[in-house]
Amino acid sequence: MSWETVQLDWNDAVATVTVDRPDALNALNEPTLEAMAEAIAEAEAKEARALVLTGAGDSAFIAGADIAHMQDLSVAEAQSWGDLGHAVADALESFPAPTIAAVNGYAFGGGCEMALACDLRVASESAVIGNTEIDLGIIPGWGATQRLPRLVGAETARRMIFLGERLDAESAAEAGLFGEVVPDEELEDVVDELASRIAAKPSVAMRTAKQSLNYSHEAPRSAALEYEKRAFASLFGTHDQREGMTAFVEDREPEFE
Ligand code: COA
């Protein structure tokens, strides 16, 4: 399926959402955010077992929220704009299956925030990432003040947000922003393989693992541990639990749903 600036492609049960606005380095304007929301909803409706988010072309993942669009927004308009960006980031974060940002170039401001909302981030060597909003006279508005410190720690997040630092891929990986940095020409294959490995795992357990990890950010530790305990127990009796354990006991490969 495709929209004017967004494509949704499938490789078996892996959905890939590609932002494609070459004239603006894939910066996010309103129609693009709306199309992303629809593409993510479509991938959820078709029960994708992993979702990849990336940018078209060689130089940009997503160069940020569209600055030309934001230039003259009123406070009320900026509020709706923030709501829209948050809704897309939330859709990635709460997507039932794991999401992977394939960061193939510039990922600034809102682009960095979309990568932060994904579960995993793999970057090409030429990727550059940062929350650069301070240099536009604003702050991150699509979740980075909450999601960035959790990944890189409070000190590094403050430095990045206060200074608008643009980190090359290696520095970002050292800071904990990227799980893996690979040569540019290998990014697509590496991400395809990672997504396929995730998609081949037991899907109910995978969804439950993601929910439990996400819940740990929302709830006090004791409630999150209680949630994990119940989520763990809920998997007993599922096809995949019986199959996974029976296959182990019978010393054969499991056949998951
Ligand atoms: N919003 C709107 N347009 C953007 C954009 C953004 N976030 N980022 C890039 N573009 C546009 C540029 O205006 C330019 O359009 P034009 O050809 O019509 O003039 C086009 O994309 C190419 O960008 P350009 O700056 O010429 O490319 P470059 O290779 O010299 O620099 C960047 C690339 C990404 C380093 C630079 O564009 C940049 O710093 N962008 C802003 C990043 C940012 O602050 N994002 C946070 C927003 S919340």
Side-chain angles (χ1 to χ4, degrees), residues 21-28 59-60 62-70 106-111 113 130-133 135-136 138-139 142 166:
R21 269 191 88 203
D23 52 339
L25 297 178
N26 305 330
L28 301 176
S59 59
I62 295 169
D66 191 307
I67 300 169
H69 169 75
M70 291 191 291
Y106 301 124
F108 297 134
E113 290 177 296
N131 278 109
T132 52
E133 290 90 344
D135 293 324
L136 298 168
I138 56 172
I139 66 164
W142 295 348
R166 298 178 180 218

mmCIF file of all heavy atoms in Angstrom, residues 21-28 59-60 62-70 106-111 113 130-133 135-136 138-139 142 166, ligand 1:
data_model
loop_
_atom_site.group_PDB
_atom_site.id
_atom_site.type_symbol
_atom_site.label_atom_id
_atom_site.label_comp_id
_atom_site.label_asym_id
_atom_site.label_seq_id
_atom_site.Cartn_x
_atom_site.Cartn_y
_atom_site.Cartn_z
ATOM 1 N N ARG A 21 9.874 11.502 1.330
ATOM 2 C CA ARG A 21 9.684 12.904 0.905
ATOM 3 C C ARG A 21 11.054 13.432 0.485
ATOM 4 O O ARG A 21 11.685 14.196 1.222
ATOM 5 C CB ARG A 21 9.195 13.764 2.072
ATOM 6 C CG ARG A 21 7.715 13.880 2.237
ATOM 7 C CD ARG A 21 7.395 14.980 3.260
ATOM 8 N NE ARG A 21 7.279 16.288 2.679
ATOM 9 C CZ ARG A 21 7.452 17.443 3.343
ATOM 10 N NH1 ARG A 21 7.764 17.426 4.641
ATOM 11 N NH2 ARG A 21 7.313 18.603 2.726
ATOM 12 N N PRO A 22 11.550 13.017 -0.653
ATOM 13 C CA PRO A 22 12.939 13.315 -1.013
ATOM 14 C C PRO A 22 13.264 14.801 -1.029
ATOM 15 O O PRO A 22 14.378 15.196 -0.663
ATOM 16 C CB PRO A 22 13.090 12.708 -2.412
ATOM 17 C CG PRO A 22 11.717 12.385 -2.880
ATOM 18 C CD PRO A 22 10.840 12.263 -1.686
ATOM 19 N N ASP A 23 12.303 15.631 -1.384
ATOM 20 C CA ASP A 23 12.592 17.070 -1.478
ATOM 21 C C ASP A 23 12.776 17.719 -0.103
ATOM 22 O O ASP A 23 13.267 18.845 -0.006
ATOM 23 C CB ASP A 23 11.498 17.789 -2.289
ATOM 24 C CG ASP A 23 10.107 17.471 -1.779
ATOM 25 O OD1 ASP A 23 9.943 16.428 -1.107
ATOM 26 O OD2 ASP A 23 9.184 18.274 -2.024
ATOM 27 N N ALA A 24 12.427 17.022 0.965
ATOM 28 C CA ALA A 24 12.579 17.588 2.307
ATOM 29 C C ALA A 24 13.318 16.625 3.224
ATOM 30 O O ALA A 24 13.167 16.689 4.447
ATOM 31 C CB ALA A 24 11.221 17.936 2.897
ATOM 32 N N LEU A 25 14.149 15.761 2.656
ATOM 33 C CA LEU A 25 14.914 14.774 3.451
ATOM 34 C C LEU A 25 13.996 14.010 4.420
ATOM 35 O O LEU A 25 14.341 13.770 5.573
ATOM 36 C CB LEU A 25 16.060 15.456 4.208
ATOM 37 C CG LEU A 25 17.144 16.105 3.324
ATOM 38 C CD1 LEU A 25 18.201 16.802 4.178
ATOM 39 C CD2 LEU A 25 17.797 15.083 2.407
ATOM 40 N N ASN A 26 12.808 13.671 3.913
ATOM 41 C CA ASN A 26 11.823 12.873 4.672
ATOM 42 C C ASN A 26 11.317 13.566 5.938
ATOM 43 O O ASN A 26 10.860 12.890 6.877
ATOM 44 C CB ASN A 26 12.383 11.482 5.019
ATOM 45 C CG ASN A 26 12.856 10.731 3.788
ATOM 46 O OD1 ASN A 26 12.320 10.926 2.697
ATOM 47 N ND2 ASN A 26 13.872 9.896 3.933
ATOM 48 N N ALA A 27 11.396 14.895 5.965
ATOM 49 C CA ALA A 27 10.828 15.630 7.111
ATOM 50 C C ALA A 27 9.322 15.372 7.165
ATOM 51 O O ALA A 27 8.660 15.165 6.145
ATOM 52 C CB ALA A 27 11.117 17.121 6.978
ATOM 53 N N LEU A 28 8.791 15.402 8.386
ATOM 54 C CA LEU A 28 7.394 15.009 8.593
ATOM 55 C C LEU A 28 6.453 16.207 8.576
ATOM 56 O O LEU A 28 6.536 17.078 9.445
ATOM 57 C CB LEU A 28 7.277 14.277 9.937
ATOM 58 C CG LEU A 28 8.153 13.016 10.063
ATOM 59 C CD1 LEU A 28 8.047 12.417 11.462
ATOM 60 C CD2 LEU A 28 7.785 11.980 9.003
ATOM 61 N N SER A 59 20.335 9.534 2.173
ATOM 62 C CA SER A 59 20.930 10.464 3.139
ATOM 63 C C SER A 59 20.100 10.698 4.397
ATOM 64 O O SER A 59 20.645 11.181 5.383
ATOM 65 C CB SER A 59 21.223 11.809 2.468
ATOM 66 O OG SER A 59 20.034 12.343 1.959
ATOM 67 N N ALA A 60 18.814 10.375 4.374
ATOM 68 C CA ALA A 60 18.006 10.714 5.552
ATOM 69 C C ALA A 60 17.131 9.552 5.996
ATOM 70 O O ALA A 60 16.534 8.855 5.171
ATOM 71 C CB ALA A 60 17.130 11.927 5.270
ATOM 72 N N ILE A 62 14.770 10.427 8.841
ATOM 73 C CA ILE A 62 13.739 11.470 8.886
ATOM 74 C C ILE A 62 14.444 12.707 9.426
ATOM 75 O O ILE A 62 14.921 12.694 10.567
ATOM 76 C CB ILE A 62 12.570 11.084 9.817
ATOM 77 C CG1 ILE A 62 11.820 9.849 9.279
ATOM 78 C CG2 ILE A 62 11.613 12.251 10.019
ATOM 79 C CD1 ILE A 62 10.827 9.234 10.257
ATOM 80 N N ALA A 63 14.557 13.766 8.606
ATOM 81 C CA ALA A 63 15.357 14.943 9.017
ATOM 82 C C ALA A 63 14.643 15.802 10.054
ATOM 83 O O ALA A 63 15.133 16.881 10.404
ATOM 84 C CB ALA A 63 15.739 15.774 7.807
ATOM 85 N N GLY A 64 13.495 15.338 10.538
ATOM 86 C CA GLY A 64 12.820 16.058 11.615
ATOM 87 C C GLY A 64 11.376 16.358 11.289
ATOM 88 O O GLY A 64 10.849 15.956 10.249
ATOM 89 N N ALA A 65 10.742 17.066 12.203
ATOM 90 C CA ALA A 65 9.430 17.623 11.895
ATOM 91 C C ALA A 65 9.655 18.717 10.850
ATOM 92 O O ALA A 65 10.740 19.299 10.777
ATOM 93 C CB ALA A 65 8.822 18.213 13.155
ATOM 94 N N ASP A 66 8.629 18.966 10.039
ATOM 95 C CA ASP A 66 8.781 19.929 8.938
ATOM 96 C C ASP A 66 8.854 21.355 9.496
ATOM 97 O O ASP A 66 7.871 21.888 10.018
ATOM 98 C CB ASP A 66 7.602 19.783 7.971
ATOM 99 C CG ASP A 66 7.850 20.568 6.697
ATOM 100 O OD1 ASP A 66 8.145 21.788 6.793
ATOM 101 O OD2 ASP A 66 7.759 19.970 5.615
ATOM 102 N N ILE A 67 10.048 21.935 9.380
ATOM 103 C CA ILE A 67 10.287 23.254 9.989
ATOM 104 C C ILE A 67 9.495 24.343 9.265
ATOM 105 O O ILE A 67 8.964 25.264 9.902
ATOM 106 C CB ILE A 67 11.798 23.578 9.996
ATOM 107 C CG1 ILE A 67 12.546 22.508 10.821
ATOM 108 C CG2 ILE A 67 12.059 24.962 10.581
ATOM 109 C CD1 ILE A 67 14.061 22.558 10.692
ATOM 110 N N ALA A 68 9.373 24.208 7.955
ATOM 111 C CA ALA A 68 8.613 25.221 7.201
ATOM 112 C C ALA A 68 7.159 25.235 7.671
ATOM 113 O O ALA A 68 6.536 26.302 7.795
ATOM 114 C CB ALA A 68 8.706 24.933 5.702
ATOM 115 N N HIS A 69 6.630 24.053 7.955
ATOM 116 C CA HIS A 69 5.250 23.975 8.456
ATOM 117 C C HIS A 69 5.125 24.573 9.855
ATOM 118 O O HIS A 69 4.161 25.277 10.168
ATOM 119 C CB HIS A 69 4.778 22.518 8.472
ATOM 120 C CG HIS A 69 3.486 22.308 9.195
ATOM 121 N ND1 HIS A 69 2.270 22.673 8.647
ATOM 122 C CD2 HIS A 69 3.208 21.808 10.428
ATOM 123 C CE1 HIS A 69 1.306 22.401 9.528
ATOM 124 N NE2 HIS A 69 1.850 21.865 10.609
ATOM 125 N N MET A 70 6.146 24.339 10.684
ATOM 126 C CA MET A 70 6.045 24.759 12.088
ATOM 127 C C MET A 70 6.254 26.263 12.273
ATOM 128 O O MET A 70 5.855 26.834 13.292
ATOM 129 C CB MET A 70 7.082 24.020 12.945
ATOM 130 C CG MET A 70 6.800 22.542 13.103
ATOM 131 S SD MET A 70 7.855 21.798 14.377
ATOM 132 C CE MET A 70 9.459 21.879 13.599
ATOM 133 N N TYR A 106 20.219 11.055 8.311
ATOM 134 C CA TYR A 106 19.854 12.081 9.296
ATOM 135 C C TYR A 106 18.594 11.687 10.071
ATOM 136 O O TYR A 106 17.578 11.319 9.479
ATOM 137 C CB TYR A 106 19.573 13.416 8.600
ATOM 138 C CG TYR A 106 20.738 13.963 7.811
ATOM 139 C CD1 TYR A 106 20.604 14.271 6.461
ATOM 140 C CD2 TYR A 106 21.965 14.193 8.438
ATOM 141 C CE1 TYR A 106 21.674 14.794 5.735
ATOM 142 C CE2 TYR A 106 23.031 14.710 7.721
ATOM 143 C CZ TYR A 106 22.884 15.006 6.364
ATOM 144 O OH TYR A 106 23.939 15.509 5.659
ATOM 145 N N ALA A 107 18.693 11.796 11.386
ATOM 146 C CA ALA A 107 17.524 11.538 12.249
ATOM 147 C C ALA A 107 17.531 12.641 13.304
ATOM 148 O O ALA A 107 18.075 12.464 14.397
ATOM 149 C CB ALA A 107 17.629 10.165 12.890
ATOM 150 N N PHE A 108 16.968 13.775 12.948
ATOM 151 C CA PHE A 108 17.000 14.926 13.853
ATOM 152 C C PHE A 108 15.595 15.233 14.388
ATOM 153 O O PHE A 108 14.589 14.951 13.725
ATOM 154 C CB PHE A 108 17.538 16.159 13.127
ATOM 155 C CG PHE A 108 18.967 15.996 12.669
ATOM 156 C CD1 PHE A 108 19.347 16.357 11.389
ATOM 157 C CD2 PHE A 108 19.932 15.476 13.526
ATOM 158 C CE1 PHE A 108 20.664 16.194 10.975
ATOM 159 C CE2 PHE A 108 21.249 15.316 13.124
ATOM 160 C CZ PHE A 108 21.612 15.678 11.831
ATOM 161 N N GLY A 109 15.557 15.859 15.555
ATOM 162 C CA GLY A 109 14.289 16.335 16.106
ATOM 163 C C GLY A 109 13.228 15.250 16.097
ATOM 164 O O GLY A 109 13.398 14.181 16.699
ATOM 165 N N GLY A 110 12.135 15.525 15.400
ATOM 166 C CA GLY A 110 11.031 14.564 15.340
ATOM 167 C C GLY A 110 11.438 13.239 14.718
ATOM 168 O O GLY A 110 10.820 12.205 14.993
ATOM 169 N N GLY A 111 12.465 13.233 13.877
ATOM 170 C CA GLY A 111 12.953 11.981 13.297
ATOM 171 C C GLY A 111 13.629 11.129 14.356
ATOM 172 O O GLY A 111 13.429 9.914 14.431
ATOM 173 N N GLU A 113 12.879 11.333 17.414
ATOM 174 C CA GLU A 113 11.806 10.902 18.328
ATOM 175 C C GLU A 113 11.048 9.685 17.798
ATOM 176 O O GLU A 113 10.623 8.828 18.572
ATOM 177 C CB GLU A 113 10.860 12.076 18.605
ATOM 178 C CG GLU A 113 11.567 13.124 19.466
ATOM 179 C CD GLU A 113 10.729 14.351 19.715
ATOM 180 O OE1 GLU A 113 10.419 15.058 18.732
ATOM 181 O OE2 GLU A 113 10.398 14.625 20.873
ATOM 182 N N GLY A 130 20.110 13.324 16.559
ATOM 183 C CA GLY A 130 20.128 14.293 17.636
ATOM 184 C C GLY A 130 18.780 14.954 17.839
ATOM 185 O O GLY A 130 17.944 15.007 16.932
ATOM 186 N N ASN A 131 18.576 15.422 19.058
ATOM 187 C CA ASN A 131 17.408 16.256 19.349
ATOM 188 C C ASN A 131 17.876 17.706 19.261
ATOM 189 O O ASN A 131 18.385 18.268 20.236
ATOM 190 C CB ASN A 131 16.806 15.905 20.705
ATOM 191 C CG ASN A 131 15.906 14.701 20.612
ATOM 192 O OD1 ASN A 131 16.238 13.619 21.092
ATOM 193 N ND2 ASN A 131 14.781 14.863 19.930
ATOM 194 N N THR A 132 17.682 18.260 18.081
ATOM 195 C CA THR A 132 18.273 19.551 17.724
ATOM 196 C C THR A 132 17.312 20.717 17.937
ATOM 197 O O THR A 132 17.605 21.844 17.532
ATOM 198 C CB THR A 132 18.666 19.514 16.240
ATOM 199 O OG1 THR A 132 17.518 19.089 15.498
ATOM 200 C CG2 THR A 132 19.788 18.514 15.992
ATOM 201 N N GLU A 133 16.167 20.451 18.570
ATOM 202 C CA GLU A 133 15.101 21.458 18.637
ATOM 203 C C GLU A 133 15.548 22.772 19.280
ATOM 204 O O GLU A 133 15.050 23.844 18.934
ATOM 205 C CB GLU A 133 13.894 20.898 19.410
ATOM 206 C CG GLU A 133 13.133 19.792 18.674
ATOM 207 C CD GLU A 133 13.661 18.394 18.969
ATOM 208 O OE1 GLU A 133 14.789 18.265 19.501
ATOM 209 O OE2 GLU A 133 12.941 17.433 18.655
ATOM 210 N N ASP A 135 17.985 24.560 18.939
ATOM 211 C CA ASP A 135 18.512 25.541 17.981
ATOM 212 C C ASP A 135 17.422 26.150 17.099
ATOM 213 O O ASP A 135 17.699 27.019 16.268
ATOM 214 C CB ASP A 135 19.609 24.896 17.124
ATOM 215 C CG ASP A 135 20.835 24.567 17.971
ATOM 216 O OD1 ASP A 135 21.155 25.357 18.891
ATOM 217 O OD2 ASP A 135 21.458 23.514 17.742
ATOM 218 N N LEU A 136 16.184 25.666 17.292
ATOM 219 C CA LEU A 136 15.041 26.271 16.591
ATOM 220 C C LEU A 136 14.193 27.070 17.587
ATOM 221 O O LEU A 136 13.097 27.526 17.254
ATOM 222 C CB LEU A 136 14.181 25.174 15.950
ATOM 223 C CG LEU A 136 14.872 24.314 14.885
ATOM 224 C CD1 LEU A 136 14.010 23.088 14.555
ATOM 225 C CD2 LEU A 136 15.114 25.130 13.614
ATOM 226 N N ILE A 138 12.821 25.811 20.298
ATOM 227 C CA ILE A 138 11.763 24.990 20.913
ATOM 228 C C ILE A 138 12.419 23.830 21.667
ATOM 229 O O ILE A 138 13.644 23.787 21.792
ATOM 230 C CB ILE A 138 10.741 24.465 19.860
ATOM 231 C CG1 ILE A 138 11.464 23.676 18.757
ATOM 232 C CG2 ILE A 138 9.930 25.617 19.290
ATOM 233 C CD1 ILE A 138 10.526 22.958 17.786
ATOM 234 N N ILE A 139 11.588 22.918 22.163
ATOM 235 C CA ILE A 139 12.109 21.709 22.808
ATOM 236 C C ILE A 139 11.527 20.504 22.064
ATOM 237 O O ILE A 139 10.593 20.662 21.269
ATOM 238 C CB ILE A 139 11.734 21.645 24.313
ATOM 239 C CG1 ILE A 139 10.214 21.503 24.508
ATOM 240 C CG2 ILE A 139 12.272 22.870 25.055
ATOM 241 C CD1 ILE A 139 9.805 21.060 25.910
ATOM 242 N N TRP A 142 7.723 15.447 20.775
ATOM 243 C CA TRP A 142 7.091 14.169 20.456
ATOM 244 C C TRP A 142 7.691 13.044 21.298
ATOM 245 O O TRP A 142 7.835 11.921 20.842
ATOM 246 C CB TRP A 142 7.228 13.839 18.961
ATOM 247 C CG TRP A 142 6.498 14.784 18.048
ATOM 248 C CD1 TRP A 142 5.571 15.739 18.375
ATOM 249 C CD2 TRP A 142 6.648 14.863 16.622
ATOM 250 N NE1 TRP A 142 5.143 16.396 17.258
ATOM 251 C CE2 TRP A 142 5.781 15.886 16.165
ATOM 252 C CE3 TRP A 142 7.415 14.174 15.691
ATOM 253 C CZ2 TRP A 142 5.664 16.246 14.824
ATOM 254 C CZ3 TRP A 142 7.307 14.510 14.351
ATOM 255 C CH2 TRP A 142 6.438 15.533 13.911
ATOM 256 N N ARG A 166 24.499 16.770 17.622
ATOM 257 C CA ARG A 166 24.280 15.837 16.514
ATOM 258 C C ARG A 166 25.351 14.751 16.629
ATOM 259 O O ARG A 166 26.530 15.022 16.437
ATOM 260 C CB ARG A 166 24.386 16.567 15.172
ATOM 261 C CG ARG A 166 23.324 17.649 15.029
ATOM 262 C CD ARG A 166 23.400 18.446 13.737
ATOM 263 N NE ARG A 166 22.331 19.447 13.745
ATOM 264 C CZ ARG A 166 21.618 19.819 12.699
ATOM 265 N NH1 ARG A 166 21.877 19.317 11.506
ATOM 266 N NH2 ARG A 166 20.662 20.719 12.822
HETATM 267 N N1 COA B 1 11.935 20.447 7.715
HETATM 268 C C1 COA B 1 11.671 20.935 6.499
HETATM 269 N N2 COA B 1 12.546 20.872 5.463
HETATM 270 C C2 COA B 1 13.731 20.265 5.713
HETATM 271 C C3 COA B 1 14.073 19.761 6.954
HETATM 272 C C4 COA B 1 13.115 19.869 8.004
HETATM 273 N N3 COA B 1 13.329 19.349 9.214
HETATM 274 N N4 COA B 1 15.328 19.250 6.900
HETATM 275 C C5 COA B 1 15.743 19.443 5.630
HETATM 276 N N5 COA B 1 14.772 20.062 4.905
HETATM 277 C C6 COA B 1 14.821 20.473 3.501
HETATM 278 C C7 COA B 1 15.680 21.702 3.326
HETATM 279 O O1 COA B 1 14.955 22.866 3.609
HETATM 280 C C8 COA B 1 16.028 21.589 1.857
HETATM 281 O O2 COA B 1 14.937 22.034 1.081
HETATM 282 P P1 COA B 1 15.204 22.933 -0.236
HETATM 283 O O3 COA B 1 16.033 22.041 -1.141
HETATM 284 O O4 COA B 1 13.821 23.187 -0.743
HETATM 285 O O5 COA B 1 15.942 24.139 0.217
HETATM 286 C C9 COA B 1 16.161 20.075 1.670
HETATM 287 O O6 COA B 1 15.460 19.467 2.730
HETATM 288 C C10 COA B 1 17.592 19.619 1.723
HETATM 289 O O7 COA B 1 18.162 20.104 2.928
HETATM 290 P P2 COA B 1 19.564 20.863 2.980
HETATM 291 O O8 COA B 1 19.638 21.588 4.278
HETATM 292 O O9 COA B 1 19.761 21.650 1.738
HETATM 293 O O10 COA B 1 20.543 19.602 2.934
HETATM 294 P P3 COA B 1 21.968 19.475 3.610
HETATM 295 O O11 COA B 1 22.480 18.155 3.156
HETATM 296 O O12 COA B 1 22.791 20.681 3.413
HETATM 297 O O13 COA B 1 21.676 19.408 5.198
HETATM 298 C C11 COA B 1 20.557 18.628 7.194
HETATM 299 C C12 COA B 1 20.900 18.334 5.715
HETATM 300 C C13 COA B 1 19.615 17.493 7.646
HETATM 301 C C14 COA B 1 21.834 18.608 8.012
HETATM 302 C C15 COA B 1 19.847 19.993 7.312
HETATM 303 O O14 COA B 1 18.827 20.046 6.342
HETATM 304 C C16 COA B 1 19.234 20.239 8.643
HETATM 305 O O15 COA B 1 19.936 20.582 9.580
HETATM 306 N N6 COA B 1 17.883 20.106 8.739
HETATM 307 C C17 COA B 1 17.160 20.470 9.911
HETATM 308 C C18 COA B 1 17.276 19.416 10.954
HETATM 309 C C19 COA B 1 16.497 19.771 12.182
HETATM 310 O O16 COA B 1 16.792 20.697 12.904
HETATM 311 N N7 COA B 1 15.461 18.973 12.441
HETATM 312 C C20 COA B 1 14.685 19.107 13.623
HETATM 313 C C21 COA B 1 13.324 19.571 13.323
HETATM 314 S S1 COA B 1 12.258 19.299 14.711
#
